[in-house]
Amino acid sequence: MRYLVNVDWVEVYCRFDPLLYKKDFGSIFGELGRKDFTLIPREYGTRVYANVALIKYRGMDFATLCYNPLSSLANGGIMHPAMCHIKLDNYWCYREDWLEVLNHAFRSFRINPMRIARVDICCDVQHFACGLYGSDLCQGLIKRKYCKVHQPYWSAHGKDSSKIVWNSLAFGSTSSPVFTRFYNKSLELIQKKDKQYIRECWDSVGFKDDRDIWRVEFSLHDTGREVIDTETGEQFDITLEQIADRTTLESLFLRYASHYWDIRKNTGDKRYNCPQLQMFPPTPQLFRPVQRPHLGTMGRTDKQVLKALFEVGTSLPNRKEKLLMLKAIRLYQQSKRVEYCTDWEMEQWKKWAVFAVSDDDNEKTARKAANYEAWLRELERDL
């Protein structure tokens, strides 16, 4: 089986200060030259940033810089005024030296990279390890001959002529931490924009010309970027250095594929009981993705744990211990990425309010319970 793993989208969250740039190089609002790089501001912005600029490297398009957030803290918003995003040009995603040039750009433009905002990891194949060709698998998933475990919400795209030909499947939501796509990449290059640099990568692998090349792609952002080292158990976000190293990148893709590209032969049983198809060659897997619920969701087990914590808190003998229990509950919420109080939790807080702050009168306590976040911050200050 021949396959090619690569990154197709790299977007980095950074800190960039236009004032420092203006001090060093003049005005940020004009075309600026720097060794090897040129910054060309555009006449438009985005729904998040007021300014957009094109970064050129030795005359070639290299990246897009979005800066000057519209919702800045200085204007009463929520974003740091120096926050910016850099999106790498697609051509550079397929070059071996993209990280070296990107770090050079960071140093040249006084940009401090914070973390990856989004990365798309993809794998191009003509047929999978089990022998299935991409087109056959796509048609089989549509006709329920095969089934995919996880991400039950999906959509399909195709063409209706003498018969319907499906050429793209999407699983999950574009706002999900992991969004999966499976599509005919050969067809996309013909219909949209032909990219010779991708074809050169295919030639280096040895793909044949008689079959279309299909792509399995995972778009990772938010908590989808979190992985666990299988040897040490250490949890961390995917870094630029890891996705720039081809061996590590391949290991990351195969591990995500073992969970998000779990294809079974449909025998009529429950999906987990159906025989699994081997899609990729077995390989040592150094990482595994962290599985978290969506932001703000509370499962049955989560509610049981919180209910137990509330019950324990009501029986604690003094206010100090009650406040510590509130802190423990908040830490549990943060571990589940629950950033706000759900309706169910609010009812629990109101029931418990008179116990948690025993030296307040009932009216003041009720007022604090109604404003969950402000109340919590005041309690944390008391610790």
Side-chain angles (χ1 to χ4, degrees), residues 359-377:
D359 58 346
D360 286 350
D361 56 65
N362 290 337
E363 181 180 356
K364 188 176 180 181
T365 300
R367 189 165 60 250
K368 288 183 176 181
N371 190 347
Y372 167 77
E373 291 295 342
W375 182 32
L376 183 61
R377 287 194 295 270

Side-chain angles (χ1 to χ4, degrees), residues 1-8 93-96 120-128 183 185 189 195-208 213-218 246-247 249-251 253-254 257 279-281:
M1 173 190 176
R2 293 185 175 91
Y3 63 97
L4 175 66
V5 177
N6 214 90
V7 290
D8 191 67
C93 293
Y94 292 85
R95 287 189 48 154
E96 297 291 338
D120 290 2
I121 305 176
C122 60
C123 180
D124 296 333
V125 300
Q126 287 185 313
H127 66 84
F128 294 94
Y183 59 101
K185 188 64 179 179
L189 294 185
K195 299 176 180 178
Q196 187 59 35
Y197 53 88
I198 293 182
R199 296 191 181 277
E200 290 174 359
C201 293
W202 289 349
D203 292 340
S204 66
V205 176
F207 286 139
K208 298 180 180 179
I213 296 172
W214 285 68
R215 171 169 289 187
V216 179
E217 184 175 274
F218 303 120
R246 188 157 295 278
T247 301
L249 179 67
E250 183 174 327
S251 178
F253 173 84
L254 293 175
M279 308 307 294
F280 297 99

Side-chain angles (χ1 to χ4, degrees), residues 123-140:
C123 180
D124 296 333
V125 300
Q126 287 185 313
H127 66 84
F128 294 94
C130 60
L132 270 176
Y133 286 95
S135 57
D136 296 333
L137 176 59
C138 183
Q139 303 298 325

Side-chain angles (χ1 to χ4, degrees), residues 91-211:
Y91 164 75
W92 286 90
C93 293
Y94 292 85
R95 287 189 48 154
E96 297 291 338
D97 60 343
W98 67 265
L99 181 58
E100 179 182 349
V101 180
L102 182 60
N103 286 329
H104 184 19
F106 288 151
R107 293 189 295 267
S108 297
F109 291 106
R110 306 294 194 268
I111 295 173
N112 181 29
M114 307 299 290
R115 64 176 181 271
I116 294 176
R118 172 185 164 184
V119 58
D120 290 2
I121 305 176
C122 60
C123 180
D124 296 333
V125 300
Q126 287 185 313
H127 66 84
F128 294 94
C130 60
L132 270 176
Y133 286 95
S135 57
D136 296 333
L137 176 59
C138 183
Q139 303 298 325
L141 287 168
I142 293 288
K143 296 177 179 179
R144 311 305 297 156
K145 182 179 180 180
Y146 307 106
C147 56
K148 177 181 175 296
V149 180
H150 308 299
Q151 296 178 307
Y153 298 99
W154 60 280
S155 59
H157 180 272
K159 181 180 179 181
D160 187 3
S161 53
S162 58
K163 65 176 182 178
I164 299 179
V165 179
W166 302 101
N167 51 53
S168 176
L169 299 176
F171 300 89
S173 167
T174 54
S175 61
S176 301
V178 180
F179 175 59
T180 304
R181 291 183 64 208
F182 176 51
Y183 59 101
N184 188 332
K185 188 64 179 179
S186 296
L187 182 63
E188 184 190 67
L189 294 185
I190 295 173
Q191 293 182 341
K192 293 186 177 181
K193 179 181 179 181
D194 197 9
K195 299 176 180 178
Q196 187 59 35
Y197 53 88
I198 293 182
R199 296 191 181 277
E200 290 174 359
C201 293
W202 289 349
D203 292 340
S204 66
V205 176
F207 286 139
K208 298 180 180 179
D209 297 331
D210 58 344
R211 282 281 184 174

Side-chain angles (χ1 to χ4, degrees), residues 4-43:
L4 175 66
V5 177
N6 214 90
V7 290
D8 191 67
W9 184 296
V10 178
E11 185 176 341
V12 187
Y13 163 76
C14 313
R15 291 289 178 89
F16 168 76
D17 194 340
L19 295 179
L20 285 178
Y21 200 87
K22 181 178 179 181
K23 177 182 177 182
D24 292 342
F25 307 114
S27 172
I28 186 66
F29 300 105
E31 183 171 325
L32 299 164
R34 187 64 173 155
K35 183 180 179 181
D36 296 327
F37 293 99
T38 304
L39 186 80
I40 305 176
R42 299 302 194 186
E43 296 180 354

